[in-house]
Amino acid sequence: MTQRVALATVMDRLAIDAVITGYAVAVDDGAWADYGALFTPDGRADYRGAGGVEGPAAEVARWLEETMRLFPVRQHLIVNRRIDLEDLGGYTGDRAEVRADYLNPMCLARQAASGPDADGPGEADAGQAGGPTPDFVTGGRYTFALDRAEAGWLIRTVTVHEKWRRAPGA
């Protein structure tokens, strides 16, 4: 591998990492237009492994927007990212696969909005002493398939494989 190819590979890995981080931030912030912009035009998302839906990214974004209203405070932690780049005989191709573990603590709307000075859903006391603590936590693994596009790397598919969850009363 030449130095130029090695540098291009590092740049691809960093760009893919930024897409995965962007995915988590978009879901956590409820930035559904940003979520959709991370996908190829034919991109799909599959949340069935966590009790959700599967379909085109735009349809799944609408489902997430509605569902995530139950959890106004949420924070994805996506870790142990394993990026496998397509290998074209020593050169990086235009496809990649990522397997990454996640931990996703969330606060239910009833708890998040219960602070005495709650201005909005879960925002008033989030992150402050005595603020809401996560009462719904899930963990598992994402698998992403990405394609290189003119604008950069985009998600072709994402699949959620929930391994465990802790819910209220459990």
Side-chain angles (χ1 to χ4, degrees):
M1 179 181 296
T2 68
Q3 190 173 18
R4 181 171 287 178
V5 171
L7 177 60
T9 300
V10 169
M11 297 300 291
D12 282 334
R13 288 180 178 280
L14 289 171
I16 290 166
D17 191 73
V19 171
I20 303 307
T21 298
Y23 168 87
V25 170
V27 172
D28 291 345
D29 291 351
W32 306 116
D34 295 346
Y35 175 91
L38 295 167
F39 286 84
T40 61
D42 61 343
R44 298 184 70 81
D46 185 349
Y47 289 83
R48 292 177 295 182
V53 300
E54 185 278 336
E59 289 178 20
V60 174
R62 288 190 291 277
W63 173 81
L64 282 169
E65 181 176 15
E66 193 64 32
T67 303
M68 290 296 111
R69 289 182 186 167
L70 297 171
F71 306 102
V73 178
R74 51 194 181 264
Q75 181 179 26
H76 278 78
L77 305 173
I78 300 181
V79 299
N80 300 333
R81 301 170 191 214
R82 289 173 292 183
I83 300 171
D84 295 317
L85 296 165
E86 180 181 38
D87 183 355
L88 299 176
Y91 294 92
T92 303
D94 293 334
R95 293 197 167 209
E97 292 184 3
V98 178
R99 291 173 308 237
D101 295 332
Y102 70 87
L103 177 66
N104 187 14
M106 300 179 283
C107 295
L108 288 165
R110 62 167 170 68
Q111 178 186 359
S114 66
D117 301 322
D119 297 333
E123 296 298 325
D125 53 1
Q128 297 178 11
T133 56
D135 53 356
F136 188 89
V137 183
T138 67
R141 179 165 293 150
Y142 286 115
T143 54
F144 294 90
L146 296 97
D147 289 344
R148 186 192 315 267
E150 261 187 61
W153 288 94
L154 296 172
I155 300 169
R156 185 174 66 255
T157 63
V158 59
T159 305
V160 179
H161 307 276
E162 185 177 82
K163 293 182 177 183
W164 62 272
R165 81 171 50 176
R166 187 185 75 221

